[in-house]
């Protein structure tokens, strides 16, 4: 069964910063993102999952070179938003499957996740839209992830550059 | 300051299903998404945040009409992936800001979140990409969210339909 996937992309030049257990009240997401916007830090991905008790985790994907600067900024905000902890990991990579088939074919996500699972690659974060599924994985697994997805989606021309999606 | 935002879209015909505290090991995401793909359920968004002690929460946005059927399917899978709980909420809506300016201008996310905060709208889930930021909010706040974003981004032509992004 052929799905309309146009490419697999990977990027290891990223860092993941997470403010753990911030207050889950209006204004917190604005305060965090404004602090980085004011410093002109480009946020590549924002992922916030479901709340637990009255708190939530707020994860950001930024470039590796912005990691230290962003951590300093967020340290100052963390008090205000009552973050229990700030976790920074620069040893992560993003791997994405892109194409119009993501939306129209429910099997694309399962195929992507299965290809990663078959290669013992644990998925740390997931952010998906109608045309793209992005997974954050360990940086040292990026090459095998791209190879596995290349095979799973039968792609002949592989792209290893980042593209805006 | 003008940002290149092409529209604000909203959709109240959705449901949020979350498998709480699944095992954070390879294969779990594949098992969950495959169970829905096999039943031809279209997953609109997948959001998975950061792990806590070897477990993770796996949130799905689907159409409201798929909610009951999906819940039944996931009940059967939850044992296998050791989900502590399945949370279903059909009283949610998705509001998105879309445009090339999302990527190039770090202030877009802060402006979106601030507009929601100013209207006392709590953001339950966030999934963003380079061209789109989607927030899951309470269904009964969708109209005020769209109005607030319309004002914040100075959009004259408002789109209330869902588009593939
Ligand atoms: C956690 C954060 O997203 C909060 N719920 C807000 O609306 O800002
Ligand atoms: C939780 C789930 O995403 C798991 N980490 C996996 O890789 O499948």
């Amino acid at each position: 069964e052929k799905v309309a996937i146009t490419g697999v992309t990977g990027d290891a030049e990223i860092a993941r910063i997470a403010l753990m257990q911030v207050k889950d009240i209006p204004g917190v997401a604005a305060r965090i993102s404004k602090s980085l916007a004011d410093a002109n830090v480009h946020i590549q991905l924002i992922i916030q999952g479901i709340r637990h008790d009255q708190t939530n985790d707020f994860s950001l994907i930024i470039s590796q070179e912005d990691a230290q600067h962003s951590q300093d900024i967020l340290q100052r905000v963390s008090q205000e938003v009552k973050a229990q902890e700030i976790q920074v990991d620069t040893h992560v990579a993003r791997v994405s499957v892109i194409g119009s088939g993501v939306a129209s074919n429910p099997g694309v996500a399962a195929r992507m996740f299965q290809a990663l699972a078959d290669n013992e690659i644990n998925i740390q974060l997931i952010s998906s839209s109608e045309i793209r599924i992005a997974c954050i994985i360990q940086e040292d697994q990026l090459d095998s992830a791209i190879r596995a997805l290349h095979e799973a989606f039968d792609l002949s021309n592989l792209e290893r550059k980042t593209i805006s999606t």
Side-chain angles (χ1 to χ4, degrees), chain A:
Chain A
E1 163 218 279
K2 270 280 166 275
V3 289
I5 298 295
T6 49
V8 170
T9 63
D11 185 4
E13 307 296 322
I14 64 166
R16 184 197 79 192
I17 292 192
L19 287 88
M20 306 298 284
Q21 298 169 283
V22 300
K23 282 174 94 71
D24 193 18
I25 56 173
V28 165
R31 183 70 190 96
I32 295 168
S33 39
K34 187 162 164 43
S35 70
L36 291 177
D38 288 350
N40 221 14
V41 170
H42 171 210
I43 303 174
Q44 296 182 15
L45 277 186
I46 303 171
I47 299 172
Q48 179 197 304
I50 219 102
R51 75 191 281 168
H52 276 266
D53 304 326
Q54 306 299 321
T55 69
N56 214 322
D57 304 326
F58 195 86
S59 297
L60 301 154
I61 300 295
I62 55 175
S63 74
Q64 239 169 22
E65 66 198 36
D66 284 335
Q68 186 54 52
H69 183 44
S70 299
Q71 190 175 2
D72 296 342
I73 295 167
L74 293 175
Q75 281 297 350
R76 270 178 258 129
V77 173
S78 78
Q79 188 70 24
E80 212 179 307
V81 297
K82 308 258 185 295
Q84 299 298 314
E85 188 196 345
I86 295 183
Q87 283 183 11
V88 182
D89 189 347
T90 56
H91 301 294
V92 291
R94 168 161 70 156
V95 62
S96 299
V97 167
I98 296 156
S100 61
V102 170
S104 47
N105 186 319
V108 170
R111 193 186 291 198
M112 175 183 195
F113 299 153
Q114 191 59 54
L116 296 176
D118 291 345
N119 286 267
E120 291 302 315
I121 296 168
N122 192 46
I123 304 166
Q124 297 183 16
L125 293 170
I126 301 172
S127 169
S128 80
S129 71
E130 302 290 339
I131 57 168
R132 171 199 63 95
I133 305 175
C135 292
I136 304 300
I137 61 173
Q138 245 172 262
E139 186 172 31
D140 60 7
Q141 296 182 308
L142 180 58
D143 284 337
S144 67
I146 289 188
R147 258 196 311 281
L149 293 172
H150 176 67
E151 245 170 72
F153 290 104
D154 196 13
L155 287 167
S156 49
N157 66 335
L158 190 62
E159 286 162 57
R160 178 64 191 265
K161 65 183 186 349
T162 18
I163 59 173
S164 290
T165 51

